[in-house]
Amino acid sequence: MRRVNMADSTELKLDFTLKQLSLSAQSEQEDVPGSSSTVELRTSRLVCVEYPAVVNNVDKMLETLGGEQTVSKTFTHPNRRLELRFRPQDPFCHSLCGNRFPSSNLLLRVRRRVRKKDPNDAEIHMDILGVIGTTYKYQGLADFQCLAVHSEGGKETSLYDKIILRKVEKQEFFEQPMPYFLPPAIFSRLDTPVDYYYRPDIHQKALARPLPINKKNLIGLNRARRPHNAIFVSYCDASVPDECREAARINWTRICQKENDKQAEEQLKKMFESRPIWSRNAVKANINIQPDKLKLLLPVFAYYMVTGPWRSLWVRLGYDPRKTPESKKYQLLDFRIRCSTKHGYSLLDMPVKAKRSALNYNLSITFNKAGPQAASVMELPAQEGPSTSRDSAPISYQLKESSYIFREGMLPPHRQMFYQLCDLHVESIQKVIEQNVGNEQECDERDGWCIIGTKDKLRDMISAMIRKVIRAQKPNLPEVRKKRRRRGLTSQSPGRDVDTEEEVQEDENKDDEEDDEDDEFQPSEGSENEMETEMLDYI
């Protein structure tokens, strides 16, 4: 029994009564002195760990949790799970993960003093140590363990002293004979049992009329295909489609019921008549249409290029960019902001924030709740309801111009961008693109109608322009002079901007090994390849 007693506005006290349970049939005895008392409530905040073992040594128990410092560090991250290793010195020990739960418990310390001469003469003292606001519970399985042992002839031999370096060893240590031992590459990411609902193969229901289905290299046969009916074309395909699929036209006709949908259809048709190749971001920046509806509208007018210089782009039906040199300006440039101390600024100095954080990944030591599911366009009402004065403002799905266009002096909205060459509105960049205008001989799968190495040069020029903007915003950044990437390519481009040339040029007496180090392309952290995965929306 517990009762709160507010004796003072600043002092909170609790009344406790302890009852001793007994399995004997004896009559209930009198209460032990001290079993009912008023205890002062302390405001100390505590953390409880429900340890899945019998604790005989507190120091060894804390060692399995990584120590007090590791526990405190884990507590500062709300979505981090508390790791427990029963063999902390064993690098092959698979850890258990404790889930974090909010709680409102009290830690009560009870002392029972008994006289040696008279065991019935006892006295109880109670004291509240604090309030437990967080509790870690180990609810997962503990049977994923691996021991570095070798079994032969019914005898097991430990291999830890032979495979673990505990000190500096000589060459003989690495040349000694060793039995075969291969630890598991990865453990299961799920440590709690889940219900798996087995479903019959949908193709087994059609045994009466079997279909010629080739199951080779197919994934997810039980899932119905999304009814977008887009046409995918690879660079090595001999021809391109002239018309869309009939199912794609039927799906869009069924959805296109509102007046603004018909306007979007007419607007997209005019866009492909004026320009045969568009990226999806460019379409979103010029048309205000719901993204789920755009997935159904695009396959009506264009097909999707999977590989080649126009990969991840939508091409007008009947138009083959491989046969037209004028399509060079519509090629794709995959650009990523270079971020390292080699370029004069680090991730913390980057004005462009990453789309995603490392905490969003569902690791075994993290706990994330599932987000709400997005509504499907198929569930939207086909008819427009009557408007009222209480209707909310119309939602705008249109992207900004910076999502697909680059100009000098501006920062890209994301660390990874997909630009078409015609959308790079910089005079010096366009001069580099137009170097071989009229002399295009053959379309290459990697460089298209451009000169070999043009994309690398464009990335250098854009990076130099972005570096100017970053230094203008943060003038205290250290100056770092960048080595020239390709001397032969630089000498072939007289139209290059003078300021850009000064930033990427350095002493030509440097050896080739240093130039090779600069050729390493460092992708930015948290970038997201939207166009590369766009094809998954239509499969």
Side-chain angles (χ1 to χ4, degrees):
M1 180 178 67
R2 184 180 66 183
R3 184 178 68 230
V4 179
N5 182 16
M6 298 296 295
D8 189 3
S9 59
T10 59
E11 182 181 359
L12 182 61
K13 295 185 178 182
L14 302 178
D15 294 341
F16 279 91
T17 300
L18 298 182
K19 293 290 184 180
Q20 183 175 1
L21 300 179
S22 176
L23 298 178
S24 63
Q26 298 178 0
S27 60
E28 186 175 334
Q29 300 179 356
E30 296 181 358
D31 294 338
V32 179
S35 59
S36 297
S37 61
T38 301
V39 184
E40 180 181 355
L41 177 61
R42 299 182 183 179
T43 58
S44 302
R45 308 295 296 183
L46 304 177
V47 177
C48 175
V49 178
E50 295 185 0
Y51 196 79
V54 179
V55 179
N56 294 324
N57 190 312
V58 178
D59 295 333
K60 291 184 178 180
M61 183 269 295
L62 286 176
E63 186 180 356
T64 60
L65 298 176
E68 293 185 6
Q69 184 177 2
T70 302
V71 176
S72 301
K73 185 177 180 180
T74 303
F75 178 73
T76 57
H77 298 279
N79 67 333
R80 183 76 63 176
R81 306 173 75 188
L82 183 60
E83 289 189 85
L84 185 151
R85 298 178 182 271
F86 286 115
R87 306 185 306 279
Q89 305 300 330
D90 185 2
F92 302 103
C93 178
H94 182 57
S95 61
L96 281 74
C97 294
N99 296 327
R100 176 172 177 166
F101 295 94
S103 59
S104 57
N105 302 327
L106 299 176
L107 181 59
L108 180 66
R109 180 172 59 188
V110 180
R111 299 175 182 175
R112 189 173 184 268
R113 303 178 61 184
V114 181
R115 289 184 179 274
K116 294 182 179 180
K117 297 181 179 180
D118 187 5
N120 295 327
D121 187 4
E123 184 179 357
I124 295 178
H125 296 275
M126 292 183 292
D127 188 16
I128 294 180
L129 301 182
V131 180
I132 301 175
T134 302
T135 302
Y136 288 95
K137 300 181 181 181
Y138 291 90
Q139 302 170 321
L141 302 176
D143 56 350
F144 294 108
Q145 299 297 327
C146 175
L147 297 177
V149 296
H150 176 65
S151 301
E152 185 177 359
K155 184 180 179 181
E156 295 182 349
T157 306
S158 175
L159 302 178
Y160 288 99
D161 294 335
K162 297 182 179 180
I163 62 179
I164 297 179
L165 290 175
R166 307 184 187 277
K167 60 180 181 178
V168 179
E169 300 287 352
K170 297 182 179 179
Q171 185 67 22
E172 291 78 9
F173 177 84
F174 302 96
E175 296 177 353
Q176 62 180 340
M178 268 287 299
Y180 179 75
F181 172 71
L182 182 65
I186 189 173
F187 288 94
S188 174
R189 298 182 63 206
L190 301 177
D191 56 355
T192 55
V194 295
D195 294 330
Y196 188 87
Y197 299 96
Y198 292 92
R199 295 175 297 176
D201 194 343
I202 59 176
H203 301 296
Q204 297 295 332
K205 300 180 180 179
L207 294 178
R209 45 182 184 84
L211 299 176
I213 299 176
N214 183 15
K215 295 187 177 182
K216 185 178 180 181
N217 298 331
L218 292 181
I219 300 175
L221 293 175
N222 288 329
R223 182 180 65 81
R225 289 182 62 90
R226 298 186 177 99
H228 299 139
N229 298 287
I231 302 177
F232 301 103
V233 176
S234 300
Y235 183 84
C236 57
D237 292 345
S239 60
V240 298
D242 296 329
E243 295 182 356
C244 68
R245 294 175 178 172
E246 186 64 24
R249 195 182 304 276
I250 294 175
N251 285 338
W252 173 249
T253 304
R254 178 169 54 87
I255 295 298
C256 182
Q257 300 292 337
K258 300 181 180 180
E259 185 63 28
N260 53 357
D261 295 337
K262 297 178 181 179
Q263 294 177 0
E265 177 184 359
E266 187 65 25
Q267 188 175 356
L268 184 63
K269 181 180 179 181
K270 293 180 180 179
M271 288 175 58
F272 276 104
E273 290 176 354
S274 60
R275 173 172 161 178
I277 304 177
W278 290 83
S279 66
R280 187 165 67 167
N281 280 350
V283 174
K284 287 182 178 180
N286 289 273
I287 297 179
N288 186 15
I289 184 174
Q290 189 182 17
D292 290 333
K293 292 185 177 181
L294 182 60
K295 295 178 183 179
L296 301 177
L297 179 58
L298 276 173
V300 178
F301 297 101
Y303 62 89
Y304 186 83
M305 285 290 290
V306 181
T307 58
W310 299 273
R311 66 176 180 88
S312 308
L313 300 178
W314 290 90
V315 186
R316 184 179 65 202
L317 291 169
Y319 183 82
D320 192 348
R322 300 169 297 182
K323 300 179 181 179
T324 309
E326 289 77 10
S327 59
K328 175 177 64 175
K329 58 184 178 181
Y330 304 120
Q331 291 179 195
L332 181 74
L333 177 66
D334 183 355
F335 175 76
R336 308 179 189 187
I337 298 180
R338 299 167 184 174
C339 185
S340 66
T341 54
K342 178 176 62 177
H343 299 97
Y345 52 87
S346 60
L347 275 175
L348 300 178
D349 302 321
M350 174 67 62
V352 183
K353 294 184 179 296
K355 278 187 176 181
R356 297 184 178 184
S357 172
L359 295 178
N360 291 335
Y361 294 97
N362 189 17
L363 300 178
S364 58
I365 60 174
T366 58
F367 175 76
N368 292 323
K369 296 182 179 180
Q373 299 294 331
S376 174
V377 67
M378 300 301 180
E379 302 173 359
L380 298 177
Q383 299 291 338
E384 259 186 329
S387 60
T388 62
S389 58
R390 296 184 179 181
D391 288 346
S392 60
I395 302 176
S396 177
Y397 302 98
Q398 195 165 352
L399 299 180
K400 296 181 179 180
E401 187 185 63
S402 59
S403 61
Y404 76 102
I405 289 180
F406 177 79
R407 291 187 175 89
E408 188 173 4
M410 67 176 293
L411 284 175
H414 309 296
R415 295 183 182 178
Q416 181 179 14
M417 296 295 299
F418 294 87
Y419 293 114
Q420 290 181 258
L421 300 185
C422 60
D423 293 328
L424 301 174
H425 295 178
V426 181
E427 184 178 357
S428 58
I429 292 179
Q430 292 300 323
K431 288 182 179 180
V432 176
I433 298 173
E434 299 173 357
Q435 287 182 65
N436 61 337
V437 173
N439 298 324
E440 297 90 345
Q441 301 295 332
E442 185 179 358
C443 182
D444 181 68
E445 183 175 0
R446 181 182 182 275
D447 297 283
W449 297 103
C450 295
I451 300 176
I452 297 177
T454 300
K455 291 184 178 180
D456 294 333
K457 186 175 181 181
L458 296 181
R459 293 189 183 102
D460 288 340
M461 299 175 68
I462 297 177
S463 297
M465 297 177 186
I466 292 177
R467 186 163 57 249
K468 284 183 179 180
V469 178
I470 294 178
R471 292 187 179 279
Q473 295 182 2
K474 297 184 178 182
N476 296 328
L477 294 178
E479 288 289 341
V480 176
R481 301 180 65 187
K482 188 175 181 302
K483 303 177 184 64
R484 190 163 50 187
R485 179 182 285 263
R486 294 185 182 181
R487 297 190 181 94
L489 177 61
T490 307
S491 60
Q492 297 175 3
S493 53
R496 185 166 186 170
D497 184 71
V498 177
D499 296 335
T500 307
E501 183 72 19
E502 291 178 357
E503 290 199 8
V504 301
Q505 189 174 1
E506 199 180 357
D507 188 7
E508 295 187 2
N509 295 328
K510 299 293 184 180
D511 54 8
D512 295 337
E513 185 177 352
E514 292 179 346
D515 286 338
D516 293 337
E517 292 178 358
D518 263 2
D519 285 340
E520 295 180 2
F521 187 78
Q522 301 292 339
S524 60
E525 178 182 340
S527 61
E528 182 182 17
N529 194 333
E530 291 182 347
M531 295 187 180
E532 188 72 32
T533 58
E534 183 180 349
M535 182 174 58
L536 299 178
D537 294 337
Y538 294 85
I539 297 178

